[in-house]
């Protein structure tokens, strides 16, 4: 596939929603240089998508298909070669530094490696304190202990440093930090892939509950279609930097149109579409 058709690349379209989309991407291209040859290649090759408020979009695809590159460009945190990005109704190209900074708290990113995203010199409490100092009004809605309760951690965690937290606890702290900002969009880049299977399920439940509670939208990156099926209202399948299929999760998974999606489904035990054959 050399380009994505608007029919398959726009997900979550709901014309009855009165507000602007949470995220709208048009023809996004991100080029990187190959390490050895130094020639340019398209890590993301012309992706378009629209996320409406409340959408949970799962982006799936094999390693190197451009998922992280897409997410970083979409949030303005990573490079973009061409294409237009509107985040919470604002065109990133028209925003000045101050406006962009004002938008930051609304969009929170949760990364795969929780320990890597926490400052090792900062206790959980001082980490929260720093965020509260940066955004006093936005963060005054909840106490530290109530926030920890939301991610099912006890108050004793406040005094812990990252090295004193398990992977699952550290990821919960990262999610708590994201929730503290009351974001309208959470971007979660394989947030559970570094965790034990049982802990993964807990953290995913937690994310689901938090979204239901806060009404935030989520761009959820994963290579696990089963997780996306459980968590996401919409799914977008990427291959070599391009979208091969996108739409409501139930429709895409029950009637996949692209060979690659079928291949992903084949690898998923008990896949619905196969049961229908
Ligand atoms: N900063 C960079 N410089 C050069 N190449 C890069 C850079 N970041 C990513 N790439 C390359 O771009 C392609 C897409 O990478 P990306 O990290 O977006 O993939 P991904 O789908 O997130 O993969 P994974 O599932 O392994 O996380 C890969 O070939 C990767 O090696
Ligand atoms: Mg990645």
């Amino acid at each position: 596939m050399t380009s994505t058709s608007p029919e398959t690349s726009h997900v979550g379209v709901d014309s009855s929603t009165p507000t602007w989309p949470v995220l709208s991407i048009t023809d996004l291209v991100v080029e990187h240089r190959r390490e050895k040859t130094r020639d340019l290649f398209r890590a993301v090759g012309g992706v378009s998508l629209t996320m409406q408020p409340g959408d949970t979009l799962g982006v799936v695809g094999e390693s190197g298909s451009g998922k992280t590159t897409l997410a970083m460009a979409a949030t303005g945190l990573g490079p973009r070669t061409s294409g237009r990005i509107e985040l919470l109704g604002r065109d990133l190209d028209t925003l000045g530094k101050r406006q962009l900074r004002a938008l930051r708290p609304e969009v929170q990113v949760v990364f795969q490696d929780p320990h890597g995203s926490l400052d090792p010199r900062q206790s959980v409490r001082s980490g929260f304190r720093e965020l509260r100092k940066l955004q006093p009004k936005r963060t005054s809605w909840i106490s530290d202990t109530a926030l920890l309760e939301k991610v099912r951690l006890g108050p004793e965690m406040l005094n812990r440093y990252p090295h004193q937290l398990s992977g699952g606890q550290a990821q919960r702290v990262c999610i708590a930090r994201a929730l503290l900002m009351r974001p309208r969009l959470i971007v979660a880049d394989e947030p559970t892939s570094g965790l034990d299977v049982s802990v993964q399920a807990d953290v995913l439940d937690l994310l689901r509950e938090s979204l239901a509670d806060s009404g935030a939208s989520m761009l959820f990156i994963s290579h696990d279609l089963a997780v996306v099926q459980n968590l996401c209202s919409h799914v977008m399948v990427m291959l070599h930097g391009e979208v091969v299929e996108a739409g409501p999760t139930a429709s895409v998974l029950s009637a996949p149109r692209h060979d690659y999606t079928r291949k992903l489904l084949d690898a998923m035990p008990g896949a619905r579409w196969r049961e229908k054959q």
Side-chain angles (χ1 to χ4, degrees):
M1 214 169 148
T2 51
S3 66
T4 49
S5 70
E7 191 198 352
T8 57
S9 60
H10 285 77
V11 297
V13 177
D14 175 7
S15 54
S16 66
T17 308
T19 47
W20 26 256
V22 172
L23 176 65
S24 169
I25 298 179
T26 314
D27 276 334
L28 173 69
V29 174
V30 183
E31 291 179 333
H32 285 313
R33 264 184 207 287
R34 287 190 208 283
E35 238 171 66
K36 280 190 185 156
T37 56
R38 305 303 297 157
D39 58 330
L40 286 169
F41 75 100
R42 286 185 161 199
V44 174
V47 168
S48 300
L49 69 90
T50 304
M51 277 180 76
Q52 299 294 350
D55 280 356
T56 323
L57 172 63
V59 180
V60 291
E62 63 193 15
S63 183
S65 56
K67 305 181 296 294
T68 297
T69 305
L70 168 72
M72 291 298 102
T75 49
L77 295 170
R80 168 169 42 120
T81 306
S82 62
R84 183 178 157 145
I85 292 171
E86 284 175 81
L87 197 52
L88 305 171
R90 318 274 174 76
D91 185 334
L92 286 188
D93 285 332
T94 65
L95 292 181
K97 271 190 185 156
R98 267 181 62 186
Q99 291 164 308
L100 196 59
R101 213 175 311 136
L103 204 62
R104 281 273 163 260
E106 309 260 21
V107 182
Q108 291 294 308
V109 186
V110 177
F111 294 99
Q112 172 179 355
D113 172 18
H115 280 110
S117 12
L118 295 170
D119 183 341
R121 296 159 306 179
Q122 229 176 22
S123 67
V124 172
R125 188 196 308 275
S126 52
F128 288 163
R129 194 180 297 139
E130 189 177 80
L131 294 177
R132 289 183 190 280
K133 258 194 214 160
L134 286 171
Q135 295 287 334
K137 276 193 197 148
R138 178 175 280 275
T139 55
S140 63
W141 64 286
I142 193 165
S143 69
D144 284 355
T145 46
L147 180 63
L148 283 179
E149 223 171 273
K150 281 205 176 289
V151 294
R152 295 191 218 118
L153 291 175
E156 70 281 3
M157 293 292 154
L158 282 172
N159 293 326
R160 301 243 183 123
Y161 285 81
H163 74 274
Q164 297 168 319
L165 301 170
S166 70
Q169 289 167 339
Q171 195 56 294
R172 280 159 196 264
V173 169
C174 290
I175 293 169
R177 290 168 57 89
L179 294 177
L180 179 59
M181 289 296 160
R182 306 196 100 174
R184 277 190 271 182
L185 175 64
I186 295 177
V187 176
D189 190 354
E190 311 229 21
T192 59
S193 59
L195 307 176
D196 286 349
V197 177
S198 61
V199 183
Q200 274 184 23
D202 272 359
V203 170
L204 291 170
D205 274 351
L206 190 78
L207 273 174
R208 191 183 294 112
E209 270 171 32
S210 309
L211 292 177
D213 199 33
S214 66
S217 309
M218 179 162 71
L219 181 71
F220 181 84
I221 296 174
S222 178
H223 49 253
D224 190 339
L225 213 45
V227 168
V228 167
Q229 184 181 29
N230 277 325
L231 193 66
C232 301
S233 59
H234 295 80
V235 62
M236 189 171 103
V237 182
M238 286 186 75
L239 181 65
H240 308 314
E242 293 182 354
V243 179
V244 295
E245 190 152 1
T249 310
S251 336
V252 171
L253 298 196
S254 60
R257 285 189 287 178
H258 196 277
D259 280 349
Y260 180 65
T261 315
R262 288 193 199 104
K263 217 173 104 185
L264 285 179
L265 277 163
D266 271 336
M268 191 174 125
R272 261 194 226 157
W273 80 279
R274 270 188 303 163
E275 284 165 8
K276 285 190 172 174
Q277 307 278 304

